């Protein structure tokens, strides 16, 4: 018993020494350091004309910002997303996992959660294109001052419905 108590005190002494050393590392606390505005697209409560679309770049989801004359709307953002990257964006390496062709996506911002309807089967979107749709919609909702995408959006395809999907899920 005496040996166990001695070992416990030794461990405690080492722990105190480590904590005391860490406390004296020389890093001083600072106040808030202003670093500019939050990243475009997810700052809630503002009305913006900065359109944030999500495409693929080097195999990853990546935002592309486009300035437009009118305020951002979720429906306009999703329609623009399905048009794909511009020639300049494609030249930089941006691609899309979304199908092109007939059919127009729509966004119902009156539903809870907001519902994006696309005229394609789920397998045409999954996995990469689905994230493009969800992230673009959430960015547009935020830019348009609609904070109702906090819990995600629903995506309705021609053969399935996914509820409360968030950016980065896929």
């Amino acid at each position: 018993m005496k040996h166990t108590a001695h070992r416990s005190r030794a461990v405690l002494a080492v722990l105190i020494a480590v904590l005391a050393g860490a406390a004296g590392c020389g890093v001083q606390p600072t106040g808030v350091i202003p670093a500019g505005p939050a990243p475009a697209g997810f700052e809630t409560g503002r009305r913006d004309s900065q359109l944030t679309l999500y495409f693929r770049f080097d195999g990853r989801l990546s935002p592309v910002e486009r300035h437009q004359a009118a305020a951002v709307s979720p429906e306009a953002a999703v329609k623009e997303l399905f048009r794909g990257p511009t020639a300049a964006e494609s030249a930089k390496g941006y691609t899309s996992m979304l199908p092109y062709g007939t059919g127009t996506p729509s966004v119902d911002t009156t539903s809870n959660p907001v519902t994006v309807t696309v005229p394609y089967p789920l397998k045409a979107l999954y996995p990469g294109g689905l994230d493009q749709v969800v992230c673009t919609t959430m960015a547009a909702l935020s830019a348009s001052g609609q904070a109702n995408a906090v819990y995600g959006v629903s995506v309705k395809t021609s053969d399935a419905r996914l509820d409360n999907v968030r950016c980065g899920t896929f």
Side-chain angles (χ1 to χ4, degrees):
M1 189 75 159
K2 192 175 189 183
H3 184 65
T4 303
H6 178 68
R7 184 179 301 155
S8 295
R9 281 188 289 233
V11 169
L12 185 59
V14 169
L15 183 58
I16 290 171
V18 168
L19 290 174
C25 67
V27 176
Q28 300 298 316
T30 62
V32 175
I33 299 170
F42 287 97
E43 182 181 342
T44 60
R46 65 182 188 153
R47 298 192 89 45
D48 198 349
S49 60
Q50 190 72 30
L51 180 64
T52 302
L53 305 174
Y54 282 82
F55 292 114
R56 306 303 263 180
F57 181 81
D58 199 24
R60 294 183 180 175
L61 195 63
S62 184
V64 171
E65 294 185 354
R66 296 180 186 169
H67 186 73
Q68 59 183 33
V72 171
S73 78
E75 185 140 11
V78 170
K79 286 179 181 177
E80 192 67 24
L81 176 69
F82 271 85
R83 287 187 186 107
T86 64
E89 292 162 351
S90 292
K92 291 178 183 177
Y94 291 96
T95 61
S96 180
M97 301 295 289
L98 296 171
Y100 297 93
T102 61
T104 304
S106 65
V107 181
D108 181 0
T109 57
T110 63
S111 64
N112 189 9
V114 169
T115 301
V116 180
T117 302
V118 295
Y120 303 102
L122 182 60
K123 70 179 183 177
L125 301 177
Y126 186 80
L130 192 56
D131 246 353
Q132 286 182 247
V133 171
V134 172
C135 294
T136 296
T137 303
M138 291 183 75
L141 285 165
S142 295
S144 65
Q146 300 176 48
N148 54 349
V150 173
Y151 300 108
V153 297
S154 291
V155 179
K156 183 179 174 186
T157 65
S158 62
D159 62 350
R161 179 183 175 102
L162 301 172
D163 288 321
N164 297 317
V165 183
R166 290 188 227 158
C167 184
T169 301
F170 300 98

